Amino acid sequence: MATYFVRPRLLFLLLALSAVRVLGAGLGINYGQLADNIPTPSRVSVMLQSLNVSRLKLYDTNPNILLAFSNSNVEFIVGIGNEYLQDMADPAKAKNWVQQNLQPYLAQTKITCISVGNEVFMGNDTQLWSNLLPAMKMLYTTLVDLGLDKQVIVTTAHPYTVIGSSYPPSSGTFRQDIIEYMHAILAFHSQTKSPFLINAYPFFAYKDDPTQIPLEYVLFQPNQGKTDPITNLHYDNMLYAQVDAVYSAIKAVGYTDVEVKISETGWPSKGDPNEVGSTVQNAELYHSNLLKRIQKKEGTPAKPSVPIDIYVFALFNENLKTGPTSERNYGLFYPDGTPVYNIGLQGNVSGVQDNVPGIVYSSAPNIKAPSTFISLVIFAIAYLIRA
């Protein structure tokens, strides 16, 4: 009869994961793939399921990823690239897309949302602007026809530049050149009960005006904050002010029944010389302080009863992304599983050295000692990726 031995390190990992699973629920992460050195989908699946991560956002419908998460409890937002928007307005092509990229996986993989295009209003391609809503509508109609509309919703992720005025938050408005598009898109959201997704990065605001915007205000550090002179609501961080400005912009065009969710936020650990603030220290502070807010299930000052819903960008550094250096340095982890930065953890857990680098997000309530939890998470992730 064979005798099996469990190595002490693996035994600790298994014990650690039992604690991790309690606290990992509610985690939302953008799973980017623009890299040639990140772990395989099957390995990432093992890692994230072990941590009880419950939500992932993709920018495509990579079949290897969707299959790797079969029979898991992970919910997916899947994406359709901007280059396909014109095709998606065609009934036959939309149906074909759903039947090829969605239906084969729905029985075993929890796909709950399609994000149509990405940051369409970032550029000046007015034809692309015009293609967005027809694509959203046709995909929704296709889902209705196939009996899938109760299972999968349709939305799109916007860049924060859709906001023309954001201060004070209560006076937030959309850019004038896209008002008609926003009105029609919001009518669709209101009708289909789907959320308005926004990519909100306080880093960009600070980078562009570091002499006028206090660093503490964007990093959730103690600061005087800002008070909205119209509502008298006090804001101690920029992210919440940004979200409330979006709610105000939505209300300004006549809608109060559309929920705002943050589809991306993060802070780069490295950047070019002109990317002020892109340091390991600032990334560490932004994420660790955001973690504390998420743990409290906080709402914004204007929506205190609606907990912030956030997808963090991103799981790994992606070495094939183009653009400034920061674009390749938003990951929480290097491809080998090593955490990118240290959030000042204390204590020694079964041989894991003090101040283990890393971060994780959880919306679980009543977390009294996140340091030990995060230590367990970081050890677990590094072990699973390297295994």
Side-chain angles (χ1 to χ4, degrees), residues 51 57 63 138 178 192 194 200 235 282 319-320 356-357:
L51 299 178
K57 178 170 167 282
M138 185 54 64
I178 60 171
T192 63
S194 53
Y235 292 84
N282 289 340
N319 67 338
L320 297 183
V356 177

Side-chain angles (χ1 to χ4, degrees), residues 49-76:
Q49 289 183 73
S50 297
L51 299 178
N52 202 25
V53 170
S54 62
R55 298 181 302 158
L56 288 176
K57 178 170 167 282
L58 302 178
Y59 296 89
D60 57 15
T61 53
N62 186 320
N64 294 323
I65 294 177
L66 297 178
L67 287 172
F69 282 86
S70 295
N71 302 311
S72 73
N73 291 318
V74 178
E75 294 184 358
F76 278 91

Side-chain angles (χ1 to χ4, degrees), residues 173-225:
T173 57
F174 290 115
R175 286 176 9 217
Q176 287 302 309
D177 61 326
I178 60 171
I179 283 287
E180 61 178 294
Y181 297 97
M182 289 294 105
H183 190 286
I185 288 172
L186 286 163
F188 172 82
H189 287 313
S190 179
Q191 174 193 352
T192 63
K193 307 302 179 186
S194 53
F196 185 93
L197 302 186
I198 193 79
N199 296 342
Y201 289 86
F203 164 71
F204 292 144
Y206 176 75
K207 173 181 70 70
D208 292 340
D209 198 6
T211 61
Q212 296 298 317
I213 298 176
L215 183 60
E216 293 80 8
Y217 182 61
V218 294
L219 295 180
F220 304 93
Q221 292 285 84
N223 68 95
Q224 293 183 348

Side-chain angles (χ1 to χ4, degrees), residues 96-371:
N96 182 63
W97 186 90
V98 170
Q99 291 178 329
Q100 288 193 4
N101 297 281
L102 202 68
Q103 274 191 303
Y105 310 101
L106 285 176
Q108 294 179 311
T109 303
K110 295 183 178 180
I111 302 172
T112 60
C113 177
I114 304 171
S115 183
V116 184
N118 186 54
E119 297 192 328
V120 167
F121 296 101
M122 177 70 82
N124 298 316
D125 187 343
T126 54
Q127 185 59 56
L128 193 63
W129 298 1
S130 298
N131 290 339
L132 177 58
L133 185 56
M136 295 171 67
K137 287 183 173 179
M138 185 54 64
L139 283 163
Y140 176 73
T141 298
T142 302
L143 292 174
V144 171
D145 292 344
L146 295 174
L148 301 174
D149 57 301
K150 304 302 181 184
Q151 185 176 350
V152 183
I153 61 175
V154 176
T155 184
T156 185
H158 299 285
Y160 202 78
T161 53
V162 297
I163 301 297
S165 175
S166 61
Y167 187 81
S170 60
S171 297
T173 57
F174 290 115
R175 286 176 9 217
Q176 287 302 309
D177 61 326
I178 60 171
I179 283 287
E180 61 178 294
Y181 297 97
M182 289 294 105
H183 190 286
I185 288 172
L186 286 163
F188 172 82
H189 287 313
S190 179
Q191 174 193 352
T192 63
K193 307 302 179 186
S194 53
F196 185 93
L197 302 186
I198 193 79
N199 296 342
Y201 289 86
F203 164 71
F204 292 144
Y206 176 75
K207 173 181 70 70
D208 292 340
D209 198 6
T211 61
Q212 296 298 317
I213 298 176
L215 183 60
E216 293 80 8
Y217 182 61
V218 294
L219 295 180
F220 304 93
Q221 292 285 84
N223 68 95
Q224 293 183 348
K226 299 178 183 292
T227 299
D228 188 313
I230 298 175
T231 62
N232 207 37
L233 292 174
H234 184 73
Y235 292 84
D236 66 358
N237 71 86
M238 178 175 283
L239 185 65
Y240 287 9
Q242 289 182 326
V243 172
D244 281 350
V246 176
Y247 272 117
S248 295
I250 292 173
K251 185 177 180 180
V253 293
Y255 297 92
T256 58
D257 59 346
V258 177
E259 183 179 357
V260 175
K261 297 188 178 186
I262 301 176
S263 41
E264 289 183 18
T265 193
W267 196 285
S269 58
K270 185 180 180 181
D272 294 322
N274 66 333
E275 295 185 289
V276 181
S278 54
T279 67
V280 171
Q281 180 183 18
N282 289 340
E284 170 188 318
L285 287 170
Y286 184 81
H287 292 100
S288 60
N289 288 330
L290 180 59
L291 165 63
K292 297 172 185 175
R293 302 299 182 110
I294 294 174
Q295 288 174 344
K296 295 177 182 178
K297 287 195 171 182
E298 282 188 345
T300 64
K303 296 282 185 177
S305 63
V306 182
I308 53 172
D309 192 330
I310 294 175
Y311 281 79
V312 179
F313 187 86
L315 184 58
F316 298 108
N317 280 346
E318 298 173 64
N319 67 338
L320 297 183
K321 294 196 72 175
T322 59
T325 298
S326 62
E327 286 295 313
R328 293 174 290 283
N329 289 278
Y330 275 96
L332 303 178
F333 296 92
Y334 294 112
D336 67 353
T338 305
V340 174
Y341 39 76
N342 186 324
I343 60 172
L345 306 180
Q346 301 298 321
N348 191 305
V349 183
S350 187
V352 182
Q353 63 180 358
D354 290 351
N355 299 319
V356 177
I359 190 165
V360 71
Y361 295 82
S362 171
S363 60
N366 301 319
I367 308 299
K368 300 299 184 182
S371 294

